[in-house]
Amino acid sequence: MPGMTTTNHNRPATIEWVGDAASGHLRLIDQTKLPGALEYLDCQDVGSVWHAIKRLSVRGAPAIGVSAAYGCVIGAQAGTFGESADYLATSRPTAVNLFWAIDRMKGLGTADPARLLDEAKAIHAEDAAMCDAIGRNAMRLIKEGGGVLTHCNAGALATAGIGTATAPMYTAHDAGRKFRVYADETRPLLQGARLTAWELQQAGIDVTLICDNMAASVMREGKIDVVITGADRIARNGDAANKIGTYNLAVLARHHGIPFYIAAPTSTFDLACPSGADIPIEQREPAEVQTAMGHPLAPADVKVYNPAFDVTPAELITAIITEKGVIEPVTEDAVRGMVG
Ligand code: MRU
């Protein structure tokens, strides 16, 4: 994005292209191993990129989009750009950044790996710049001495930069502001516990882990001034899909008179989606709920319902913070005005 600068916080790169266009490959932090181990996954073929997205080795809407863009380059190296792009689009259904990035790669109208790599690198760099801009636009939400609640991981691990929901936290922290972050653990896959708590702790930000069912009490105790989460897809009326449990927080926040914000880049908006009811919600395996990190938690054959995302209606969202500015109040006109 011309004129935008990005911040290097000396974190390990969530996503990296290694080598040249002809024979290079995609390197990802394997997020299934965190926080126990910081390990990298080298994806040399399209199948391994698809599986990395599917099993959440790389996850978070913007990071999925950037990874798929690089996956398209790997497909082009093998002479299968078109089929590879279509295949990558089947990895996960909800985060619109996946389809946005693949459409952008296809829109170049070439299968030349060198040109595709340039575009993937541009998507990567723009995502980092969008995170920085979200940080600047949302920093005012973090008050000196205040408490912030977040859900899942919309952090550096979910993007190519400083995250979306975490962007104002990193920006305020860099500016010397003191505040506390409460991170929901985020069952079933514990992105809040494993990833958000890890990355904020690494950055020296004061983070406290809570179980998902503690949010109401923590709000009533006056510990939370603001809730900020990311989004996987935002419909044109402002309804926002994000990790299952986000809707709970928005309802609780309204009850307690606490503002609830979504932080997301414009690549997360889907203007073709009239409302949240039109957003496809990923259903995942029962084993994710029946077990925790491989350990049984329930009878093996118990019936399970495991939607990975829920939709927060626009009327519960105080504002949506994008890299271009703030959508407040959240209405279809305001979304169209900001996103196009
Ligand atoms: O299933 P996940 O871990 O990919 O879900 C991620 C989220 O719900 C994030 O909040 C969202 O993608 C925004 S990431 C900036």
Side-chain angles (χ1 to χ4, degrees), residues 56 59-62 64 92 152-154 158-159 164 191 230-232 242-243 309:
L56 275 51
R59 30 65 52 207
I64 291 170
R92 294 189 76 189
C152 191
N153 175 263
T159 64
T164 62
Q191 288 93 330
D232 283 81
N242 191 51
K243 179 54 56 193
F309 301 97

